[in-house]
Amino acid sequence: QVQLAESGGGLVQAGGSQRLSCAASRNIFSINTMAWYRQAPGKQRELVAQITSGGIINYADSVKGRFTISRDNAKNTVHLQMNSLKPEDTAVYYCNAVRALSDGTVYHSWGQGTQVTVSS
């Protein structure tokens, strides 16, 4: 598995912006997909955004047009730029990495999570 460390969470006002970063313990070009998930209290963890090693990006409908996921291979880091934040964006945000090997083995790695709180 890959060790992942998130940073950049905190308190932000509605309409504001926040940038999350996820540093991986290995070269991310060897990771098939990196993603951001979030989990609000009492809610199921949900996918927010993901980016493949080939640059294919998907966003949850709730964040399209507001969030941007990007990858910096040289720094083994993935970012999530969050703009126009809403109170409903409040959650613990987790970095996720998925690596599929040629033998069919799939590794899922998770960061420790970082709290994002959006005030009204």
Side-chain angles (χ1 to χ4, degrees), residues 49-120:
Q50 64 181 36
I51 183 169
T52 72
S53 60
I56 299 174
I57 296 173
N58 288 307
Y59 296 101
D61 289 341
S62 60
V63 306
K64 286 182 179 177
R66 300 189 297 120
F67 290 11
T68 302
I69 188 170
S70 61
R71 182 183 64 205
D72 187 338
N73 290 340
K75 297 182 179 180
N76 296 330
T77 302
V78 170
H79 304 283
L80 184 68
Q81 178 66 47
M82 304 184 294
N83 299 325
S84 301
L85 283 163
K86 305 174 181 179
E88 50 263 45
D89 294 319
T90 296
V92 177
Y93 284 71
Y94 297 90
C95 185
N96 167 261
V98 177
R99 186 183 181 205
L101 305 182
S102 59
D103 65 356
T105 304
V106 179
Y107 292 99
H108 297 263
S109 301
W110 295 91
Q112 80 285 353
T114 185
Q115 176 71 45
V116 174
T117 302
V118 184
S119 62
S120 300

